[in-house]
Amino acid sequence: MENLNNLALERDGSTLIVTIDRPDKMNALNVETVEEFRTVFQEVYDDPTIAGVIVIGSGEKAFAAGADIKEIAALNEMNARKFAENGQEVFGQIENCPKPVIAAVNGYALGGGCELSMACHMRVASANARFGQPEVNLGVIPGYGGTQRLTHLVGKGKAFELMMTGDQVKANEAKELGLVNHVVDSQEELLPKCKEILDKISAKAPLAIGMVVTCINAVFSNEEDGYQTEANSFSNCVKSEDFKEGTKAFLEKRTPSFKGV
Ligand code: COA
C-alpha cells in the first residue's frame, strides 16, 4: 500500500492502525482520503495477517472534522449524488469488514468524521471528543450514511435533535446515548483501550467474528431476513474446524486454538 497521501499506516502485531493525517485541516475527509480508505480496507479484507483495525486522527484536536468543505462547496446537483454514493460505498465496506474495526475518537468527530466513526464497529472516545452532524449549518445533510447510522445508534428522537440543531455532544453524553462504547480520560489511553478490546477478540474464532458482523448488519438491511441470515451463518460456523476445536477445548477444559478455518 504505497502512495497514501492522507492516511498513515502502522502495524502493531496483527492490528493495523490507520491514522487520518491531515492535522492542519482537522483531518477533514477529502475525496482522496475516502479513496485511500477504500484501498486500505480492501487490503484489510485480503491480508490474513491483519486481525483488527483501529482508526484514529493525527494530532490532538480532531478525529476528523467532516468532509472537506472546500470540495463540498464545489459540488453541483449532478455530481453530489455520486459524491454521497461513493462515500456510502466506502463506509459500507468498513462497516461490513469481517474483522473488528474500532474508531479511537481523539477530538472532533463532526460531519463525515462522525459518520466514519459510526461506520466502525465500535467507538472509544477520549474525554475531549466531540460528536456532531453540523451539516445543516452549511445547507446540507449528512451524505455518508449519517442519517441512517446515527438514527440506528441513538434512536429517532435524539437523531432528529442532533441533525436538526447541529449541536455537538461531548464524550460522556455520547456514551450515555449509546454512540460511544467507552470513554477514557486522556488521548494516551485511547490506543491501549482499543488494543485491549482487539486482543480479547483475537482470542475468538475469526470466522464466528465475521459472522457476527454479517448478522448484526443484517438487522439494518432491507434486502435480508436477519433471522435467515443468522441461521445460515450459524450453520456455516458449525461446519468450520474452529467450531470443532472450540467445543472440544471446552469439554477438555483447555483454551481453544483457533485457525480461522
Ligand atoms: N473541511 C475543510 N477544512 C476544514 C474543515 C472541513 N470540514 N474543518 C476544519 N477545516 C480547516 C479550517 O478551514 C482551517 O483551515 P485554515 O487553517 O487553512 O484556515 C483548519 O482546518 C483549522 O480549523 P479552524 O476552524 O481554524 O479550527 P478551530 O479549532 O477554530 O475549530 C472546528 C475546529 C472543528 C470546530 C471547526 O474547524 C469546524 O467547525 N469545522 C467544520 C465542521 C463541519 O461543519 N463539518 C461538517 C462538514 S460537512
Side-chain angles (χ1 to χ4, degrees), residues 84-120:
E85 286 175 348
N86 193 57
Q88 288 177 4
E89 193 177 286
V90 175
F91 285 13
Q93 183 195 20
I94 295 172
E95 184 171 54
N96 290 309
C97 181
K99 303 166 186 181
V101 184
I102 304 182
V105 183
N106 58 315
Y108 291 111
L110 302 177
C114 186
E115 293 175 291
L116 171 63
S117 80
M118 294 190 293
C120 298

Side-chain angles (χ1 to χ4, degrees), residues 52-256:
V53 183
I54 299 170
V55 180
I56 191 166
S58 65
E60 293 178 352
K61 289 187 85 172
F63 174 75
D68 193 305
I69 296 174
K70 253 193 193 153
E71 289 182 349
I72 290 188
L75 290 174
N76 60 45
E77 188 186 344
M78 299 303 288
N79 59 22
R81 172 184 288 273
K82 182 78 196 127
F83 175 89
E85 286 175 348
N86 193 57
Q88 288 177 4
E89 193 177 286
V90 175
F91 285 13
Q93 183 195 20
I94 295 172
E95 184 171 54
N96 290 309
C97 181
K99 303 166 186 181
V101 184
I102 304 182
V105 183
N106 58 315
Y108 291 111
L110 302 177
C114 186
E115 293 175 291
L116 171 63
S117 80
M118 294 190 293
C120 298
H121 299 140
M122 290 169 239
R123 284 143 297 283
V124 177
S126 52
N128 70 326
R130 300 283 181 275
F131 294 81
Q133 298 291 165
E135 288 87 348
V136 285
N137 294 325
L138 304 170
V140 280
I141 60 167
Y144 286 174
T147 60
Q148 309 301 294
R149 291 193 182 96
L150 186 63
T151 309
H152 294 153
L153 281 165
V154 305
K156 198 171 170 184
K158 198 69 193 179
F160 271 128
E161 182 183 337
L162 292 176
M163 282 184 267
M164 286 179 168
T165 63
D167 279 353
Q168 291 178 17
V169 175
K170 292 183 182 173
N172 280 323
E173 190 186 347
K175 182 159 182 257
E176 279 167 29
L177 290 172
L179 182 54
V180 157
N181 296 65
H182 299 278
V183 177
V184 294
D185 290 337
S186 69
Q187 295 200 353
E188 291 69 44
E189 295 167 76
L190 266 178
L191 288 178
K193 181 67 192 175
C194 294
K195 283 180 197 163
E196 179 192 316
I197 298 169
L198 289 179
D199 280 349
K200 210 180 266 185
I201 298 171
S202 72
K204 319 297 179 199
L207 287 177
I209 296 300
M211 297 296 173
V212 167
V213 174
T214 303
C215 291
I216 290 181
N217 286 334
V219 174
F220 306 106
S221 164
N222 293 327
E223 290 139 31
E224 284 174 77
D225 173 347
Y227 288 96
Q228 203 57 55
T229 303
E230 181 183 272
N232 290 340
S233 304
F234 184 83
S235 130
N236 278 330
C237 287
V238 167
K239 72 181 186 205
S240 71
E241 288 300 316
D242 280 351
F243 170 72
K244 292 190 190 82
E245 166 63 9
T247 46
K248 195 160 172 271
F250 178 84
L251 296 171
E252 292 171 359
K253 300 191 189 306
R254 62 174 172 82
T255 306

